[in-house]
Amino acid sequence: MAQRQGESVTESEDSASGKHTAAARHENVMNGATVPDSVDLAEDEVCSLELPHKTSHLESVGLRKSKRFGNVFGVEMSPDTIAIAMVYFVQGILGLSRLAVSFFLKDELHLDPAETAFLTGISSLPWLIKPLYGFISDGVPLFGYRRRSYLALCGLLGALCWGSLAMFIDSKYGAMAAILLSSLSVAFSDVVVDSMVVEKARGESQGASGSLQSLCWGSAATGGIASAYFSGYLVETYGTRYVFGVTAVMPLITSAVAGLVQEEPLKAPSDDPKVMLSKTAQFISTSKSQLAFLWQTVKEPSIFWPTLFIFLWQATPTSDTAMFFFTTNHLGFGPEFLGRVRLVTAVASLVGVGLYNTYLKDVPLRNIFLWTTLLGTALGLLQG
C-alpha cells in the first residue's frame, strides 16, 4: 500500500511540474505499461513492420485500434482518455467567465486595479499546493474510489461557486471565497486527471507522451475557442450574472464524465474503532515517508532545476489586470471586442498545439524551452 501511494504521489508531483512547463498558464499532466496477450503481440509485430520507425506499445496499439475506433492527436479514445479530454475541455470553456469576473469586480463591486489584482491573484493559490491533493486522493478515498468520487465532487463544487456568484454574492469577500473555491475545484480535478495521464504515458516514447499532451492541451484550447467570443458578447448583452449562471453548468460535465474513469472500487473500511485508528496511524506514517521521498526527489538535479525554472517563470509579474483597466478605461474597449481578442488567443493556442504535435514532439525539450523563452521575451518587450 505504501509503495502504491508513493507511486501515485510521484505521479501527482510529475504532473504538477509537467503542465506548467508545457504551456504558459495553470498547471498539469501524465502507470505502468500494460502486458498484451499473444494475439496483441502478433498484431503489434505486423503493425510495426508497416511503420518507418520503431514505435512504442502505445503508439502501435493506438494506430491499430484507430482503424476501428478512430483517434485524436494519435491517441485512442478510450473511456479514460475521453474523461481526460473532457476535464481539460471544461478547463478551457470555463474561460467563458473570465471577462465577466473582471467586469464584475471593476464595475459592480467598484474595485480598483490593486484590489482586483489581489483578488484574482488569490485564485492561483490552490494551484500552488497541487501535490497535497495527490496525498488526499490517494490516502482518503471517497465512497470507495480515489478518482471518480473526487472528480464528481469537484464538478459539484465548481457549479455551486459559480451559481452563488450568479444569484446572491455582492461583496468582495464573498466573491473572493467563490473564486477561490472554484479555482480549487479545477486544480483538484486537474491533479486527478494528471495522474491518469502519467499512468498512460509512463514507459512510452517522447512522441507518444507528446500525443497525450497534445490531446490535453488541444481539448483545453477547443474549450477556450468555444467560449472566447461568447464571453464578451454575453457580458455585453445579458450582464455578468447571466454569464456566471451559464458557467455554473460547465463543471457538471466533469461530474458527468467521472463515471467513465476505469477504476476498481476499494473495499469498504471497517467500522471497528481499533481498525480505523490503526489505518489512521498508517496513513500518517505513510504520508511522512512520502513527504521525505518527495523532498529527496526535489533535490535531484534533474528535478530541481526544471522546478526552479518553473518557479522563476511563474514568479514573473504579469500585466493582466493593468492591461484590462487600460483597454477598458483608456482605450474604451467593450466586452464584445475583448471577447474577439480572446477568440484570436484561443485559436493561436490550438494552432500551437497542432504545430507541436506535428513537428516538435520529438524535438529535445531543452531546445523547445530555450527558443520559446527567447521568443516569448521578445514578444513581451513589444508591450512596452
Side-chain angles (χ1 to χ4, degrees), residues 200-217:
K200 289 184 174 295
R202 177 174 293 169
E204 304 300 338
S205 67
Q206 180 178 327
S209 300
S211 295
L212 282 168
Q213 290 290 331
S214 297
L215 173 65
C216 297
W217 286 98

Side-chain angles (χ1 to χ4, degrees), residues 183-200:
S183 179
L184 172 64
S185 71
V186 177
F188 207 121
S189 65
D190 184 75
V191 168
V192 173
V193 295
D194 283 351
S195 66
M196 297 168 60
V197 177
V198 170
E199 290 183 356
K200 289 184 174 295

Side-chain angles (χ1 to χ4, degrees), residues 225-308:
I225 291 174
S227 66
Y229 174 75
F230 291 103
S231 64
Y233 170 79
L234 293 176
V235 169
E236 189 163 293
T237 306
Y238 298 103
T240 59
R241 293 191 184 271
Y242 178 87
V243 176
F244 293 152
V246 175
T247 305
V249 179
M250 304 307 171
L252 297 178
I253 298 176
T254 299
S255 299
V257 300
L260 297 177
V261 177
Q262 303 300 295
E263 182 181 14
E264 292 295 330
L266 302 176
K267 293 182 179 180
S270 173
D271 294 332
D272 188 342
K274 293 183 178 180
V275 175
M276 296 179 64
L277 183 61
S278 175
K279 289 188 175 182
T280 302
Q282 182 182 5
F283 171 70
I284 295 174
S285 176
T286 303
S287 298
K288 290 181 179 179
S289 63
Q290 289 174 343
L291 287 172
F293 176 75
L294 182 61
W295 176 242
Q296 291 297 325
T297 302
V298 171
K299 291 194 297 184
E300 291 289 330
S302 60
I303 300 296
F304 175 77
W305 292 113
T307 302
L308 180 61

Side-chain angles (χ1 to χ4, degrees), residues 49-68:
L49 293 175
E50 300 174 356
L51 299 177
H53 60 282
K54 183 179 180 181
T55 59
S56 68
H57 174 65
L58 176 64
E59 291 172 310
S60 60
V61 172
L63 181 60
R64 169 167 52 83
K65 292 188 177 181
S66 67
K67 297 177 182 178
R68 297 168 56 187

